[in-house]
């Protein structure tokens, strides 16, 4: 048997975006794998609901995504980077066989792809500049066209970069594509893009905002949202949105409701008879509050909140969808260490009913007439397609995409651990032991402990999901791994999520340390060798933990926040400071500084590795540089490793070689300070010693 290693990331397939066919007989999904050190391959597969193997449905050199069955099931639309250029375009393929046809040649990529109810049109969104619209590049662009980066960049927006990109004047707009008109001639034969209609060119906000989450109602109605900023107001400084109804036959546009929160793709879904479901998060302390689903009835103007009885949030990578009958909503939420699915009548006439999900992490789902298809992961696999009935009575696994990889690799089942913190609150955590661990065969054998702290801060962890490979890799390396959902986490009610208001560090650390002491009571845990790591808010907490406690022998802090004022001034998520701490750097600078790990760097003794991404615009690197400078000035063993081309999603979707390198550096750093591993500290080794990817030239370390 081979232990799981960091480099195995190249062998692990990821399953995404399941979509049930209209007759409930097949599920289309995206299978994504590393293609090489720098890129991924992604193709669409289909699998019969009644059994049989999954089969590859699309083949090409590009990355395929967003599979969408036509209402009659005869065709499948999808987005792909195949063909000329590397921009994402709309493609169409017959479901009974045949070649895929490219339907668009647009400049801004494809998102929010969705069929009209009658199957005649597709709506989508793309990010474009005013110059793109003026030159019609948002409807048809030469494949050789390359947008030049501004030099210099002149910035007037509050939020001018996000993900890994600068906006450079681009805003998201909504379009409708007439399918038969697009099929009648190739995109290169339609230089004016006549099959594409702009919906938001001269909309109510006159192109000063992004239009998000378009979705069809009936055949002539598209709904979408845009920031509700009055003339002279900054749309980047509000979380309030207007919801719009756009009649495609007349061009009439009407604002009919408002909501607040962080609206993204999939934040609105509508029925043909005019009931519009949308995400809503209260404006007061928005970042800590739970996201509900509201339903607005266009006929009566009434609004209901069918998810209100749940006391669970629908936010943070969770979703919702109307069933085809237009009567029932399906939603996913975190729930005590799982991500589960619920059903609820759209009129709120009954309380939500739990459909499926104990002990799993549902990543995405699709609702059919009689079935629900999911992608979820469990402790023993990183993700597959499953199907269940609408009531969740029977569940069947349809794919086993990683069975070959897992066949000769032992995977341990994490042990659930509940413990009390200092105020008596019950906290949920898990303990994962090395695959060779056997208390009976090796009594007295002890293992070092790695403590993992999740990001967010208002997020949660399960026994599976995106951390499956990292946890199993560290366990196979000879570490016991512990993680928990301290106060501030989602999945335990709103009171638990808001418990860290004004105090991220001390409240969370108290819970983490309570868990550490609980698991260190196990005879097989070496309580003299305890290490800590985490990313994003987990990076904040890792730095806070080594500054405010002497419990940890070494630390690896990843893509963290180390100075709240610096974070406020450079992040696209500055509202997190306003909402969670109730102030700004101008109103109470001393308070925010004292709540920042960098303020306490003089108290750090534990050797601390800091990992960051060069294009991380969620937690920009400036605060990491400040923290590392402080560690250096105070004589702490440290190193800063920065990953070029990467953003905040490095650990989940970064270049494969970088994902592997990150994991290997975490393990190598801990190995060097662990008596259980005969390895010198990383600072005393050759720069690439013990790493399977990268070289001294590639690392660019100084």
């Amino acid at each position: 048997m081979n232990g799981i290693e960091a480099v195995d990331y190249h062998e692990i397939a990821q399953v995404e975006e399941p979509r049930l066919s209209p007759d409930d007989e097949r599920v289309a999904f995206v299978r994504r794998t590393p293609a090489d050190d720098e890129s991924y391959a992604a193709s669409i597969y289909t699998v019969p609901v009644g059994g049989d193997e999954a089969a590859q449905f699309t083949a090409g050199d590009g990355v395929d995504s967003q599979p969408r069955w036509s209402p009659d099931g005869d065709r499948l639309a999808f987005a792909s980077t195949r063909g000329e250029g590397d921009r994402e375009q709309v493609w169409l393929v017959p479901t009974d066989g045949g070649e895929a046809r490219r339907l668009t040649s647009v400049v801004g990529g494809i998102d929010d792809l969705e069929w009209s109810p009658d199957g005649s049109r597709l709506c989508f969104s793309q990010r474009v500049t005013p110059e793109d619209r003026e030159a019609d590049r948002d409807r048809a662009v030469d494949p050789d066209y390359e947008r030049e980066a501004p030099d210099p960049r002149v910035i007037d927006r509050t939020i001018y970069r996000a993900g890994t990109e600068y906006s450079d004047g681009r805003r998201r707009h909504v379009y409708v594509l007439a399918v038969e008109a697009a099929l009648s001639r190739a995109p290169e034969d339609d230089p004016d893009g006549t099959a594409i209609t702009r919906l938001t060119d001269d909309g109510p906000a006159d192109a000063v905002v992004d239009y998000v989450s378009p979705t069809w109602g009936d055949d002539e109605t598209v709904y979408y949202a845009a920031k509700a900023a009055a003339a002279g107001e900054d749309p980047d400084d509000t979380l309030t949105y207007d919801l719009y109804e756009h009649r495609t036959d007349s061009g009439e546009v009407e604002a009919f409701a408002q909501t607040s929160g962080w609206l993204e793709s999939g934040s609105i879904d509508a029925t043909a008879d005019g009931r519009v479901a949308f995400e809503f998060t209260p404006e007061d302390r928005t970042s800590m509050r739970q996201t509900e689903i509201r339903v607005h009835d266009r006929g009566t103007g009434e609004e209901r909140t069918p998810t209100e009885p749940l006391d669970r949030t629908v936010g943070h990578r969770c979703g919702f969808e109307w069933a085809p009958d237009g009567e029932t909503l399906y939603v996913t939420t975190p729930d005590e260490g799982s991500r589960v699915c619920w059903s609820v009548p759209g009129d709120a006439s009954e309380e939500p009913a739990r459909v499926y999900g104990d002990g799993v992490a549902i990543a995405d789902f699709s609702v059919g007439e009689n079935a629900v298809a999911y992608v979820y992961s469990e402790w023993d696999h990183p993700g597959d397609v499953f199907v269940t009935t609408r009531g969740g009575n029977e569940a069947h696994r349809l794919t086993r995409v990683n069975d070959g990889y897992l066949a000769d690799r032992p995977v341990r089942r994490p042990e659930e651990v509940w413990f009390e913190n200092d105020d008596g609150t019950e906290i949920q955590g898990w303990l994962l032991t090395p695959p060779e661990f056997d208390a009976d065969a090796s009594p007295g054998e002890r293992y070092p402990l790695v403590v993992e702290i999740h990001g967010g801060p208002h997020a949660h962890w399960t026994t599976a999901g995106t951390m499956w490979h990292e946890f199993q890799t560290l366990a196979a390396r000879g570490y016991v791994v512990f993680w928990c959902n301290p106060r501030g986490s989602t999945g335990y009610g709103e009171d638990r999520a808001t418990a860290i208001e004004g105090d991220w560090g001390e409240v969370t650390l108290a819970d983490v340390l309570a868990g550490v002491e609980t698991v260190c009571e196990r005879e097989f845990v070496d309580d003299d060798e305890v290490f800590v790591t985490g990313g994003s808010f987990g990076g904040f907490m890792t730095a806070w933990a080594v500054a405010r406690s002497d419990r940890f022998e070494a630390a690896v802090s990843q893509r963290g926040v180390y100075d709240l004022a610096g974070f406020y001034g450079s992040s696209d998520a500055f509202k997190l400071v306003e909402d969670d701490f109730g102030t700004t750097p101008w109103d109470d600078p001393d308070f925010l500084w004292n709540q920042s790990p960098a303020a306490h760097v003089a108290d750090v003794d534990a050797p601390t590795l800091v990992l960051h991404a060069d294009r991380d615009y969620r937690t920009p690197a400036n605060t990491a540089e400040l923290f590392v400078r402080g560690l250096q000035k105070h004589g702490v063993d440290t190193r800063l490793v920065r990953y070029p081309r990467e953003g905040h999603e490095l650990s989940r979707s970064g270049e494969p070689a970088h994902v592997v390198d990150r994991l290997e550096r975490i393990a190598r750093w801990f190995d060097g300070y662990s008596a259980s591993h005969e390895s010198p500290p990383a600072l005393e080794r050759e720069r690439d010693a013990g790493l399977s990817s990268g070289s001294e030239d590639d690392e660019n370390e100084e």
Side-chain angles (χ1 to χ4, degrees), residues 24-104:
D24 283 357
E25 292 187 359
R26 287 182 289 176
V27 180
F29 64 93
V30 176
R31 186 179 187 272
R32 185 169 175 264
T33 56
D36 50 40
D37 280 351
E38 297 182 355
S39 63
Y40 293 85
S43 298
I44 296 170
Y45 282 64
T46 61
V47 61
V49 169
D52 211 349
E53 295 291 318
Q56 187 169 351
F57 190 73
T58 64
D61 295 332
V63 173
D64 300 337
S65 64
Q66 302 181 64
R68 302 291 186 262
W69 300 94
S70 62
D72 60 10
D74 290 345
R75 297 180 287 188
L76 188 79
F78 61 99
S80 181
T81 59
R82 65 179 66 191
E84 297 179 356
D86 59 358
R87 297 185 187 90
E88 206 170 33
Q89 304 295 345
V90 178
W91 290 71
L92 190 69
V93 61
T95 54
D96 59 358
E99 291 296 319
R101 290 274 308 276
R102 180 164 58 92
L103 302 188
T104 65

Side-chain angles (χ1 to χ4, degrees), residues 64 78 165 178 200 235 283 288 389 394 417 435 467 577 700:
D64 300 337
F78 61 99
E165 294 182 314
T200 53
E283 292 183 79
M288 294 185 293
T389 61
E394 300 177 26
V417 179
M467 297 302 293
V577 174
N700 293 319

Side-chain angles (χ1 to χ4, degrees), residues 195-208:
I196 295 175
T197 301
R198 300 178 177 119
L199 293 195
T200 53
D201 239 20
D202 299 307
D206 197 23
V208 299

